[in-house]
Amino acid sequence: MGQPGILYLCATPIGNLEDITYRVLRTLKEVDLIAAEDTRNSIKLLNHFDIHTPMTSYHEFNKIEKAHQLVEKLQQGQNIALITDAGTPGISDPGEELVRIAMDAGIAVTSLPGAAACITALTMSGQATRRFAFEAFLPRDKKERLQVLEELKHETRTIVLYSAPHHLLKTLEELHEVLGNRGISVCRELTKKHEEVQKTTLEDVISYYKDNEPRGEYVLVVEGKALREVEAEAREQWESVSLEDHMAIYTGQGFPKKEAMKLVAKDRGMTKRDVYQALLTEEA
């Protein structure tokens, strides 16, 4: 058997067709096969750039079985490009399964960078960008959805979510119910003619979309929980525990008394000296 082929993850535009790279165009022309999430959608892109490479479908409903078929072709020496409907394959789409199965089979996988809606929205949101948590679409199952929202309640990083227009208002209301009135940037129709970013609050944007029908695809960039709130909540939890019992938790874990005192002081937002004095008072 000859040299195996390479799996190329090719980012395609999320709206504006000029956002495709020269490298992606060249690769799409040179590979033996293009695996596309929706061939009906992708043929428009290929026709626009005069690309005539054979295509096959690779989507949510055939992602495991088809992945094994594609890996067989790769093992036979064919080079395959994976494209999604829009953006970077593997981000919130079945591409991650093909990558996993290909790598497990020893196939070389490379990613050709380009558009990604989550990064595009984050960078133009006006929210903090250094640390962020990407959640994609919230789960459809009600129990799973509530579980994810509860986890996000304590998230201090900026949160990035996707939403379809018909779910937008419900998603915003659920976020408000669980997270409170956080800052949010609502990004829609990214890179397209009617691109828009609203930097606002959850309360105000809910009010807006009760009067205005959501149109287009949305990326929601939500402010993370302020660290000061997290620290205040943690301090509140310790208020019901006596200083002696609090010290006993750490000394019981093997911490020396001085180190335990330092940890107690940090938990309660006190100085080490204040903890020492308070303990003396309790003992007296």
Side-chain angles (χ1 to χ4, degrees):
M1 190 180 290
Q3 191 78 5
I6 297 172
L7 176 63
Y8 296 90
L9 311 178
C10 294
T12 53
I14 58 176
N16 193 317
L17 290 179
E18 292 179 3
D19 291 337
I20 199 162
T21 68
Y22 289 123
R23 186 178 172 210
V24 167
L25 289 174
R26 177 178 55 77
T27 301
L28 293 176
K29 287 175 182 176
E30 291 177 357
V31 291
D32 300 292
L33 183 67
I34 296 171
E37 190 174 5
D38 186 337
T39 54
R40 294 165 302 177
N41 183 61
S42 296
I43 194 68
K44 297 170 192 170
L45 177 78
L46 299 189
N47 285 343
H48 181 84
F49 290 108
D50 197 28
I51 296 168
H52 305 286
T53 307
M55 245 193 317
T56 188
S57 63
Y58 177 77
H59 49 70
E60 185 63 32
F61 304 104
N62 69 357
K63 63 184 180 184
I64 303 298
E65 182 191 352
K66 192 62 174 279
H68 287 290
Q69 292 173 19
L70 292 171
V71 165
E72 274 183 36
K73 292 180 184 297
L74 287 158
Q75 287 171 329
Q76 290 161 12
Q78 289 192 37
N79 291 318
I80 298 176
L82 176 67
I83 59 175
T84 181
D85 280 350
T88 301
I91 302 293
S92 189
D93 78 12
E96 65 177 305
E97 295 292 350
L98 177 56
V99 171
R100 177 181 60 79
I101 292 167
M103 291 187 83
D104 287 349
I107 298 296
V109 179
T110 188
S111 184
L112 281 58
C118 55
I119 299 299
T120 304
L122 179 67
T123 54
M124 65 193 292
S125 67
Q127 305 293 344
T129 59
R130 190 176 70 84
R131 298 168 68 244
F132 66 95
F134 176 56
E135 273 298 330
F137 292 95
L138 288 173
R140 289 184 184 179
D141 178 81
K142 194 175 180 182
K143 191 177 175 184
E144 282 180 45
R145 195 177 176 93
L146 285 172
Q147 190 179 337
V148 170
L149 286 165
E150 276 302 315
E151 287 173 14
L152 293 179
K153 185 177 182 178
H154 307 288
E155 180 58 72
T156 56
R157 295 171 294 179
T158 300
I159 301 159
V160 184
L161 299 154
Y162 289 160
S163 178
H166 52 286
H167 290 144
L168 180 69
L169 189 55
K170 183 187 174 190
T171 299
L172 292 170
E173 287 173 339
E174 287 174 333
L175 287 168
H176 181 259
E177 190 179 330
V178 177
L179 308 182
N181 191 28
R182 299 265 185 98
I184 183 172
S185 296
V186 178
C187 308
R188 61 178 286 273
E189 293 295 88
L190 291 171
T191 78
K192 298 175 187 173
K193 186 179 179 182
H194 299 292
E195 176 182 273
E196 181 183 52
V197 180
Q198 281 177 283
K199 190 170 189 286
T200 177
T201 63
L202 279 165
E203 274 181 14
D204 287 349
V205 83
I206 287 166
S207 175
Y208 175 83
Y209 278 112
K210 279 180 177 174
D211 298 328
N212 296 273
E213 186 188 350
R215 293 176 182 275
E217 297 299 315
Y218 287 83
V219 184
L220 311 177
V221 186
V222 187
E223 182 181 44
K225 189 170 193 174
L227 278 169
R228 61 181 177 275
E229 287 180 57
V230 177
E231 289 164 358
E233 283 177 6
R235 284 198 292 273
E236 278 176 32
Q237 288 174 355
W238 287 114
E239 281 175 9
S240 59
V241 180
S242 72
L243 274 171
E244 253 183 7
D245 288 345
H246 199 159
M247 280 288 292
I249 289 168
Y250 287 119
T251 53
Q253 291 173 23
F255 286 97
K257 198 170 180 180
K258 275 188 178 179
E259 190 62 31
M261 214 175 282
K262 195 187 289 182
L263 291 166
V264 168
K266 187 182 177 187
D267 287 344
R268 300 176 89 101
M270 300 169 68
T271 67
K272 201 168 106 177
R273 182 185 175 84
D274 286 345
V275 173
Y276 179 70
Q277 291 294 340
L279 284 168
L280 283 179
T281 306
E282 279 187 14
E283 287 170 7

